[in-house]
Amino acid sequence: MSSLIALLPTLPAGPTSEFEYVLSDDGRSVGSHGSAAAALLPAPRGAGAEVIAVVPVERLSWHRVDLPKGTSAGSPRLRAVLEGLLEDRLLDEPETLHFALQPQARPEAPAWIAVCDRQWLRDAVQALEAAGRPAARIVPEFTPEGPDRLYAMGTPDRPMLVAAGDEGVTLLPLSAQALALLPALADDARRLAEPAVAALAEQLLHGKLELQQAPGRWLAAAQSEWDLAQFDLASSGQARAFKKAGAAWVDFLRAPAWRLARWALLLLVVVNLVGLNAWAWRERTALADKREQIRRILTQTFPQVKVVVDAPLQMEREVTAMRQLTGATSGRDMEAMLAALGVAAPQRVVTALEFSAGELRVKGLAFGPEEAQAVAASLKGQGYAFAPQGNTMLITQGTGP
């Protein structure tokens, strides 16, 4: 999944503002990087391509609050709740600031809130949109989560020190005087430095630091679950959901980490196809065997039948012809129907009989509801269906209407 990761400028963005960027072909490794005006930024290509905006550490402040009961990320009054919780901690008026709530925040539990200047963020995001590079997500450069980390970054003229971890994000000048203000870090905290300030950091911190270029840090920031595009900066929920689903699908199709899962899914599909075909072949074979048995019974019972086209129909015709030769009656004859009616409704007088094509209509009989049910049950037991129609009774061979 190709990604363009753009670091928003710390100064208010304009048409000529330059954005430092990283272009990654897979979202995990650094491809090209540099700086350019928004209109000249390279465009990510391919399915699932996205632009991710990174907010510099200097532009964010972090505050931990306890969300009140009944407050969630989708609550319509969340903005007002956050303003009330942070009112005494902010140096600017709340209406001039943008708030972003920690992912998966829960009511009645501590949660981190990221705060920055609303107009500055809006101008930077709009500059990307005007250049045809709309940001799918907005992530912070550093987040207050995970194990403790210490970063030395910046330029020799303006070196900075950032401590990040579960206890927050702290930005300090990289100087001997500022070291006393550093929060306590775990002994195994990871220590990194940009090459431009690595020598100074190792001198002040009295130890070797792992080198990391700024593009690698921004690429790691893009993997965060944070998204600062909330409230008035939030894009359509449905569009965001489709975007994330598409990105996840492309990631599944291309990422090396999913190779075994892709092979397993392919194997599962193949096994199911083979199983379905085997089951269909077995059913076709069983059906063909039954048809062959019916043909065999027909030709063995009636040797004069040489060509079998429709075995059940041909067998019925042969049985009917045999019955006509012997004078025997069948259940579809009027005599058999009248005998069944005599059993179901004895000692009843009819006024007229009408027989046609296996249907017997008897007129002059009228039954009450209970008596009609009893007659129908008796006829059904003899293999006939019964349908009263006023003073007329319709009798057919079958299991009932």
Side-chain angles (χ1 to χ4, degrees):
M1 177 178 62
S2 177
S3 300
L4 172 65
I5 302 165
L7 181 71
L8 302 182
T10 55
L11 297 177
T16 60
S17 298
E18 289 204 346
F19 293 75
E20 295 187 82
Y21 70 87
V22 179
L23 187 63
S24 173
D25 293 333
D26 57 6
R28 288 178 171 80
S29 58
V30 175
S32 60
H33 60 89
S35 64
L40 300 178
L41 289 172
R45 302 184 182 279
E50 62 177 358
V51 177
I52 302 172
V54 179
V55 177
V57 63
E58 305 99 301
R59 299 298 315 201
L60 280 177
S61 63
W62 296 91
H63 307 271
R64 179 177 279 178
V65 299
D66 290 325
L67 293 179
K69 185 178 181 181
T71 304
S72 64
S75 174
R77 61 187 185 93
L78 178 60
R79 167 84 191 191
V81 170
L82 296 182
E83 288 184 5
L85 293 173
L86 299 175
E87 185 176 6
D88 297 335
R89 310 188 201 179
L90 302 174
L91 300 178
D92 298 308
E93 294 298 325
E95 57 269 17
T96 67
L97 301 174
H98 175 73
F99 301 124
L101 178 64
Q102 170 185 330
Q104 302 175 358
R106 299 188 305 274
E108 299 185 276
W112 284 103
I113 308 298
V115 181
C116 69
D117 184 89
R118 177 189 289 181
Q119 191 59 48
W120 167 84
L121 183 59
R122 185 187 299 274
D123 290 345
V125 171
Q126 288 179 349
L128 289 174
E129 291 180 354
R133 309 290 189 271
R137 290 190 298 131
I138 306 174
V139 300
E141 188 175 15
F142 297 94
T143 58
E145 57 189 5
D148 291 343
R149 294 97 63 205
L150 188 65
Y151 296 87
M153 52 183 284
T155 63
D157 296 335
R158 190 170 175 267
M160 295 181 293
L161 197 60
V162 178
D166 287 335
E167 296 304 315
V169 176
T170 302
L171 174 65
L172 297 170
L174 181 54
S175 64
Q177 295 80 4
L179 293 182
L181 302 177
L182 270 178
L185 299 175
D187 294 337
D188 59 347
R190 191 178 179 191
R191 300 184 174 208
L192 306 99
E194 292 183 10
V197 296
L200 176 60
E202 290 177 353
Q203 179 183 353
L204 292 175
L205 298 173
H206 306 291
K208 296 291 291 184
L209 277 73
E210 178 184 345
L211 293 181
Q212 184 188 57
Q213 296 280 1
R217 185 174 67 250
W218 303 332
L219 186 65
Q223 312 303 320
S224 168
E225 293 184 358
W226 276 84
D227 190 354
L228 305 183
Q230 300 178 23
F231 302 110
D232 55 332
L233 288 180
S235 58
S236 163
Q238 185 177 17
R240 289 164 64 86
F242 278 122
K243 185 72 175 179
K244 289 182 179 179
W249 175 245
V250 171
D251 189 47
F252 176 77
L253 291 179
R254 297 184 177 180
W258 290 100
R259 184 176 291 112
L260 290 178
R262 292 194 294 268
W263 279 109
L265 180 60
L266 179 61
L267 181 61
L268 180 63
V269 172
V270 171
V271 168
N272 276 275
L273 287 176
V274 171
L276 287 173
N277 279 282
W279 176 80
W281 174 82
R282 180 180 177 182
E283 291 296 315
R284 288 195 298 269
T285 302
L287 182 60
D289 290 342
K290 291 180 179 179
R291 288 175 176 170
E292 182 59 31
Q293 291 176 7
I294 294 175
R295 292 191 186 96
R296 192 179 302 112
I297 292 174
L298 174 61
T299 55
Q300 289 176 354
T301 307
F302 303 103
Q304 68 273 20
V305 178
K306 303 300 182 182
V307 179
V308 179
V309 179
D310 186 342
L313 180 61
Q314 289 176 276
M315 187 175 294
E316 182 180 359
R317 289 176 178 173
E318 293 297 328
V319 171
T320 300
M322 183 180 295
R323 184 184 300 115
Q324 290 175 350
L325 289 175
T326 60
T329 61
S330 71
R332 294 174 56 86
D333 292 336
M334 184 176 70
E335 293 83 352
M337 291 184 178
L338 287 175
L341 178 60
V343 174
Q347 300 179 353
R348 298 298 294 266
V349 179
V350 301
T351 58
L353 295 173
E354 181 180 339
F355 180 79
S356 175
E359 295 183 348
L360 176 64
R361 286 180 170 80
V362 182
K363 298 182 180 180
L365 297 177
F367 299 111
E370 295 182 359
E371 189 177 9
Q373 290 181 0
V375 172
S378 177
L379 289 174
K380 185 176 182 180
Q382 301 177 69
Y384 293 96
F386 164 72
Q389 301 174 350
N391 289 334
T392 302
M393 175 189 300
L394 173 64
I395 303 175
T396 57
Q397 191 174 29
T399 58

